[in-house]
Amino acid sequence: MNDNDFRTVEAQLREQSAAYCAANHVPGFVAGVFHAGRQAVVAHGTANVVTGAPMREDTGFLIGSVTKVLTTTLVLQQVDRGVLDLDAPVVSYLPEFALNVPGAADKILVRHLISHTNGIDADLYFPDAKGRDALKAYVAGLADSCGVLFEPGEQLSYSNGGMIVAGRLLEVVTGLSFPELLQRDLYGPVGMKDSSTSAEQAILRGTAIGHFPDPETMEARPTGLFTLPDTWGPAGGTPIGTVADLLAFGRTHLAGGVSPSGARVLSAASVALMQQVSYDMRTPNVPPMGMGWVRYPFGDVTVLAMSGASPGGVSLLCVVPEHDLVFAAYGNTPGAIMLHDQLLQWLLREHLGVPIPRLVTEMRQDVDLTPYAGTYRSDQLRIDVSIVDGQLEERTTYEPADGAQERIFTAFAGGAVSAPPQRYVPIRPGLFAPAGYPLEAFDGYLRLLLVSYHDIREGRARFRNGGGRLTRRV
C-alpha cells in the first residue's frame, strides 16, 4: 500500500463521517485506521452541544463494552503468570460468589466468564456503589438478586455480569482495584497514554459526552448521565480512552501481544486463544464468540470486534488479522453505530477488496410462527411475542427491581422504559428480520438486528436471542 492509497482512506473517513453526521443529527464523530504500518485519525463536529467544544482527534470518550476485551486481556495475563486457571471454578478464587439458585455459581468456570457462556442472569443489574469496594458490592448483591438463564457452557448470551465478576476476581487475586490494574497492566504497557478510569480523571482533558435524539425534533440533546456506576467498570461502565489508544490496543493484538512500543503485554498463545472460537450458536445474528472478541465473518475474512454503548454514545473496535488492519471509532449519539458499520464495510470492500456476500437473500412466507409466540424474560426485561398479520410482533418492557435501577437504566437508555412494538418477518424457521429493512442492511455489523429462537421443545422455543442476548420463555 502506498501513501496515496492511505490518503484515500483518510479522505473517505473524513467525507463519509461529515455527510452522515449532517444528515442524521450526530453532533460529533472520531475514527481511526491502522493498516500495514500507516495510521490516520479524523474527527468531525462537536464533542458536547452544551459547551460547543469541538470533537478533536485526541478527544476522549467512554469506550463502553470495548472494555470487555481489555478485561479479558487482564484475565489472560494472570493465566500467563500462573495465577489463574481457566478451567478452575470461579468460587475456588472467589468463595463469596453466589447466585440466587443454590449451587449454580459453583459450576461456573473462569473461562465461562470471559466467553459469555456463564448463564448469569444479570444483564440489567445496576447496583449503584462507588469506590474501591464497588465490585465487591456487585458480587455480594448477585446472591440475592440474580439467577441463571442456562447451565454454564450450554448456551451463549452476551454477559455484562460475567465480565464484572471477572473484574472482581482480578481484584482478589492481584490485590489491586480494577482501575489500578487497568492502568498498571494495560494502559501503561500498551501506550494508552490518554486513557482513564473515571469522570474525575477525564474532566482534566477534552472528553466527549453522549447525546440522545429529541423525540419530536430529532435534534441531539445532551445525556443526563455521563457514566454508569463504578460497579460496571469491567463491563464498560467507566473506562475512557481515545481513538489512538484503542488503535494501540488493537495493534497489540495484531502483533501477538507486543505493544507498538515493543512491550510484551500478553503471550502469543493467549492472544491466539482469545481469537479462537469458544462457542458458536450457528445462527447469522450471533457471530461465533472467542474470548472477549466477537468473531464476525465477512465472507472468508474474520473481523474481531466489540462495540461499546455508553449513555448517548457508541464506540467500536475492530481488528482484522488477515489484513493487518485495526479500525476504531466513536460517535456521540446511539445512531452512530450505523456510520461505524458503513465505514467498516467500506474499508473491507473498497480498501481491502474483501467480497462481502449477502447474509440474508430472501424472506419466507411459509414459516409456522406458533413455536415462537409467548413471553420471554431475563433480568428486569420482558419481551412479549405475538402473531399479528402473519408476522411476529414484539413488545419489550423494562421492569426495574427498584427506584435506583430505574433511575440508572432510564438515564442510560435516554428516558425510555419500553420500546414501541416491532414487527419481524421470517427468513427461515427460527430466524427473523425487523420488518421494513432492506436485505443488505444485515450484511455487516447490523446483523445483530436479526432475532433468532432456539431449543424447540414440544413445539415451543425455549430461548429468544436478540443482539446476542438470550431471554428465556416463561
Side-chain angles (χ1 to χ4, degrees):
M1 181 183 64
N2 58 44
D3 289 339
N4 286 336
D5 290 337
F6 203 70
R7 279 195 289 269
T8 299
V9 171
E10 186 173 354
Q12 180 69 24
L13 292 181
R14 196 179 303 279
E15 293 166 11
Q16 196 165 335
S17 299
Y20 184 93
C21 290
N24 295 279
H25 304 285
V26 179
F29 192 80
V30 58
V33 175
F34 169 86
H35 183 213
R38 291 174 172 83
Q39 182 165 305
V41 177
V42 303
H44 173 81
T46 305
N48 183 332
V49 298
V50 178
T51 65
M55 186 75 83
R56 306 187 312 180
E57 287 84 353
D58 63 349
T59 294
F61 52 86
L62 284 155
I63 67 174
S65 286
V66 173
T67 304
K68 291 179 171 69
V69 192
L70 277 65
T71 300
T72 303
T73 300
L74 289 171
V75 170
L76 268 296
Q77 284 180 336
Q78 297 305 316
V79 173
D80 285 345
R81 295 165 187 169
V83 175
L84 288 176
D85 180 349
L86 289 175
D87 294 311
V90 174
V91 293
S92 64
Y93 304 103
L94 195 60
E96 64 268 33
F97 172 47
L99 300 168
N100 66 11
V101 177
D106 299 348
K107 304 174 186 178
I108 298 174
L109 308 181
V110 174
R111 67 168 62 249
H112 292 141
L113 298 177
I114 54 177
S115 61
H116 300 273
T117 56
N118 50 77
I120 300 170
D121 188 11
D123 201 47
L124 295 177
Y125 176 51
F126 291 97
D128 192 6
K130 299 181 183 297
R132 191 176 185 90
D133 290 332
L135 303 189
K136 182 179 180 180
Y138 181 97
V139 171
L142 288 175
D144 296 323
S145 303
C146 298
V148 293
L149 281 169
F150 52 83
E151 290 292 306
E154 177 189 66
Q155 298 276 0
L156 171 69
S157 185
Y158 186 86
S159 179
N160 288 306
M163 286 292 172
I164 298 170
V165 173
R168 176 57 184 158
L169 174 63
L170 287 166
E171 291 186 333
V172 169
V173 300
T174 66
L176 297 175
S177 70
F178 181 79
E180 290 170 337
L181 191 64
L182 195 60
Q183 186 72 52
R184 187 193 74 177
D185 285 1
L186 277 186
Y187 288 173
V190 169
M192 301 171 70
K193 61 183 181 63
D194 293 318
S195 291
S196 58
T197 57
S198 69
E200 290 81 1
Q201 293 171 332
I203 202 171
L204 301 177
R205 59 180 318 282
T207 305
I209 69 166
H211 305 78
F212 292 98
D214 184 276
E216 295 181 2
T217 67
M218 297 307 293
E219 293 292 332
R221 54 181 175 82
T223 178
L225 177 71
F226 179 54
T227 71
L228 289 171
D230 289 356
T231 51
W232 269 54
T238 54
I240 297 161
T242 65
V243 159
D245 288 341
L246 291 186
L247 292 176
F249 179 77
R251 289 175 61 184
T252 300
H253 279 264
L254 267 186
V258 177
S259 75
S261 66
R264 168 63 68 182
V265 176
L266 193 63
S267 71
S270 288
V271 169
L273 184 62
M274 287 178 64
Q275 299 179 14
Q276 294 171 9
V277 176
S278 291
Y279 198 97
D280 187 356
M281 293 193 71
R282 302 187 184 281
T283 182
N285 61 310
V286 186
M289 178 64 67
M291 287 190 176
W293 294 113
V294 184
R295 295 171 45 92
Y296 284 81
F298 285 84
D300 295 330
V301 171
T302 295
V303 175
L304 307 171
M306 182 58 73
S307 60
S310 53
V314 61
S315 65
L316 181 67
L317 175 63
C318 298
V319 174
V320 191
E322 294 159 83
H323 290 274
D324 195 27
L325 183 140
V326 183
F327 169 61
Y330 169 80
N332 57 6
T333 65
I337 191 65
M338 302 285 287
L339 178 54
H340 295 341
D341 190 31
Q342 291 175 13
L343 292 174
L344 174 61
Q345 290 198 56
W346 183 89
L347 286 166
L348 293 171
R349 279 196 178 101
E350 305 301 328
H351 179 56
L352 299 178
V354 174
I356 301 177
R358 183 59 40 84
L359 192 69
V360 178
T361 57
E362 63 178 353
M363 299 299 182
R364 295 266 299 273
Q365 303 297 323
D366 60 345
V367 174
D368 179 10
L369 304 182
T370 55
Y372 317 112
T375 297
Y376 299 79
R377 296 294 302 265
S378 62
D379 177 61
Q380 302 180 60
L381 188 71
R382 188 184 79 238
I383 302 174
D384 295 301
V385 182
S386 57
I387 301 171
V388 180
D389 299 329
Q391 299 176 347
L392 292 183
E393 181 177 274
E394 294 189 351
R395 295 176 179 266
T396 301
T397 305
Y398 173 62
E399 299 178 331
D402 53 44
Q405 302 275 295
E406 182 176 13
R407 173 181 56 80
I408 295 166
F409 176 82
T410 52
F412 175 70
V417 294
S418 62
Q422 174 66 57
R423 295 282 186 89
Y424 286 86
V425 294
I427 299 168
R428 67 187 191 209
L431 183 64
F432 296 81
Y437 282 74
L439 298 184
E440 62 270 17
F442 312 115
D443 292 345
Y445 201 81
L446 295 182
R447 66 190 72 186
L448 292 177
L449 294 175
L450 302 173
V451 167
S452 58
Y453 292 83
H454 303 272
D455 197 3
I456 307 293
R457 298 186 186 183
E458 299 179 351
R460 302 196 309 172
R462 287 184 66 212
F463 295 101
R464 172 196 177 274
N465 195 305
R469 292 168 163 87
L470 283 182
T471 48
R472 186 176 57 196
R473 180 186 290 274
V474 295

